[in-house]
Amino acid sequence: MIANDLYQFVSYCKKIQPQTQQDIKQFFEGVIVFPYDNELLLQAYLFLNIKSLFPSCRELLLFEKSPIADYTDLGKCDFVYLTFQGNLFLIETKFIDTEAKGATERKRRNKHRNKVFEQVITLKSRFSEYWDLRIEQLECGVFTTDPEVDWRGNGVNVVTKSISIEHLERWRRNYKNNNYV
């Protein structure tokens, strides 16, 4: 991506997602206070801890938007960050219920694990084609509540991170208490 292409993409992002980083932070802090959706709580954790999880991420450009104009049928990306190196970092999140037991739940977990990788890899390809970007300029990450995904990113060039459901809930309680949100 040359500087002009990057500028074009960042300008596009500012138009479709005009909220400031502070506005987005306030949104996610509201999720912590009223956690009605586990996936959103996981996304709040990611946003508020991005520097420790994915240190190359500098600025959130898109959240839950299609990176391909208004073609939401082609997929929405959970997070698109600009990196310090001038690349784009696509992150998909998935709350996977690791506490549920039984054969059906094991199958469901495996399906979710596979799906989150498929999503981010497909988005990387579509993103590259639509915006005419070199694949090397697009980095990918997956963030879940399932440590089983940690090794799955190795062969497909996807950075994986996870947090246990117990740790996520403890963080939520502590954040709420310590930050008076």
Side-chain angles (χ1 to χ4, degrees):
M1 179 185 313
I2 59 174
N4 195 33
D5 291 337
L6 181 61
Y7 174 78
Q8 252 183 336
F9 178 73
V10 171
S11 296
Y12 163 78
C13 292
K14 300 282 184 200
K15 281 184 212 154
I16 67 166
Q17 186 120 31
Q19 299 88 348
T20 66
Q21 300 294 305
Q22 187 60 35
D23 291 340
I24 296 167
K25 180 181 181 201
Q26 288 175 338
F27 167 76
F28 282 124
E29 286 179 337
V31 169
I32 295 167
V33 176
F34 302 107
Y36 61 91
D37 181 297
N38 288 329
E39 183 83 14
L40 268 175
L41 181 60
L42 181 67
Q43 291 174 339
Y45 181 90
L46 174 66
F47 179 80
L48 295 168
N49 294 282
I50 192 68
K51 299 267 185 270
S52 63
L53 292 167
F54 298 100
S56 68
C57 292
R58 185 181 85 187
E59 178 186 359
L60 179 64
L61 298 176
L62 293 177
F63 168 66
E64 285 289 342
K65 299 272 187 195
S66 173
I68 305 167
D70 291 327
Y71 298 105
T72 54
D73 59 319
L74 296 177
K76 292 187 298 184
C77 192
D78 291 341
F79 292 90
V80 177
Y81 275 90
L82 180 63
T83 69
F84 287 103
Q85 296 79 21
N87 291 329
L88 299 176
F89 202 106
L90 315 176
I91 304 172
E92 283 295 312
T93 60
K94 181 58 93 181
F95 186 93
I96 299 173
D97 187 354
T98 55
E99 297 172 348
K101 305 290 182 225
T104 302
E105 291 303 322
R106 278 194 304 276
K107 286 179 189 173
R108 180 176 291 138
R109 276 193 295 276
N110 204 42
K111 180 181 173 189
H112 286 295
R113 290 173 188 137
N114 292 336
K115 179 127 176 95
V116 72
F117 278 97
E118 178 186 309
Q119 282 176 301
V120 78
I121 291 167
T122 300
L123 277 168
K124 180 179 183 177
S125 174
R126 288 182 178 157
F127 207 99
S128 173
E129 289 171 24
Y130 183 82
W131 288 98
D132 197 26
L133 305 172
R134 292 189 333 264
I135 287 290
E136 309 83 59
Q137 297 168 304
L138 297 167
E139 301 172 51
C140 293
V142 165
F143 184 58
T144 73
T145 53
D146 184 0
E148 280 291 313
V149 302
D150 290 353
W151 61 270
R152 292 179 181 227
N154 296 341
V156 289
N157 201 24
V158 175
V159 180
T160 58
K161 302 286 180 168
S162 64
I163 182 173
S164 71
I165 294 171
E166 179 184 316
H167 185 117
L168 181 63
E169 185 53 35
R170 192 172 338 124
W171 169 82
R172 184 189 71 77
R173 286 190 308 270
N174 288 337
Y175 192 93
K176 201 167 104 176
N177 294 337
N178 293 335
N179 294 289
Y180 308 106
V181 289

